């Protein structure tokens, strides 16, 4: 079998690297971290797509390893908060716990709880040229309190689709099958399979 295609993942979030490699494990590809001291691009885009592109291009610029670069920009969009925290999900408050508390507090008057997670992926080459993009969404609702301990971020308060389990109560495999990241990445992997024979 040919060597695994290595793709540098422009991220500083270890949960993303773990989930992405888990989802990709049946393909001849491996996602690795950028070879640089501190990966911290200015995510000043106005959309998930723009921020994914900023991070993928920054990885191609600063990383000393790799020929291909991908980034994931993702977040939680709550209807009552007019799509917020959205692209600001990672910065909604200072810690994951505080972010969840702030979200539950914002919805405490029994407001509309429908929400969705979004994941935008962008793949580019060494020169920073965009080769492909994908997007994945999973619909759900914000729970009244935290449940479950798997996953990361807002998973303990995100009730998946029409079910009564939060994302943090799903097994790793269940989350990866239906999550925004799982859906976007599956399409990206199929594209890579056709174009890079992975
Ligand atoms: P990088 O920018 O370095 O990749 P980040 O965590 O800052 O890492 P984003 O800017 O894309 O990444 O913000 C994503 C945030 O959205 C993340 O920190 C979580 O709070 C939330 N999020 C994204 N995917 C999630 C998931 O699968 N489960 C729970 N929360 C998620």
């Amino acid at each position: 079998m040919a060597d695994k295609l290595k793709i540098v993942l422009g991220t500083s979030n270890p949960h993303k690297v773990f989930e992405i490699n888990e989802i990709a494990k049946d393909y001849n590809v491996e996602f690795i971290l950028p070879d640089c001291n501190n990966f911290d691009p200015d995510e000043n885009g106005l959309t998930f797509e723009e921020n994914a592109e900023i991070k993928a291009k920054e990885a191609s610029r600063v990383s000393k390893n790799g020929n291909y670069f991908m980034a994931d920009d993702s977040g939680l969009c709550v209807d009552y908060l007019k799509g917020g925290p959205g692209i600001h999900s990672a910065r909604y408050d200072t810690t994951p716990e505080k972010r969840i508390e702030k979200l539950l507090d914002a919805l405490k008057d029994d407001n509309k709880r429908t929400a969705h997670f979004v994941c935008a992926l962008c793949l580019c080459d060494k020169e920073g040229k965009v080769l492909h993009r994908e997007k994945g969404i999973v619909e759900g609702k914000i729970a009244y309190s935290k449940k479950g301990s798997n996953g990361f971020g807002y998973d303990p308060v995100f009730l998946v689709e029409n079910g009564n389990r939060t994302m943090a109560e799903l097994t790793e495999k269940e989350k990866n099958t239906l999550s925004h990241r799982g859906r976007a990445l599956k399409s990206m992997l199929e594209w890579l399979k056709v174009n890079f024979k992975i």
Side-chain angles (χ1 to χ4, degrees), residues 58-74:
E58 180 70 357
S60 76
R61 200 178 66 79
V62 300
S63 181
K64 293 191 261 324
N65 57 342
N67 294 320
Y68 298 99
F69 304 84
M70 191 179 88
D72 160 320
D73 198 65
S74 45

Side-chain angles (χ1 to χ4, degrees), residues 11-13 16 43 55 74 152 154-155 175 180-181:
T11 187
S12 54
N13 182 335
K16 288 185 182 178
E43 294 180 43
K55 290 190 273 189
S74 45
F152 69 99
Y154 298 90
D155 284 344
K175 175 177 177 182
H180 49 314
R181 182 165 300 103

Side-chain angles (χ1 to χ4, degrees), residues 24 37 39 43 56 65-67 71 74 111-112 176 188 194:
N37 288 333
F39 185 76
E43 294 180 43
N65 57 342
N67 294 320
S74 45
N111 296 310
K112 195 173 170 212
N176 290 341
M188 180 63 83
V194 172

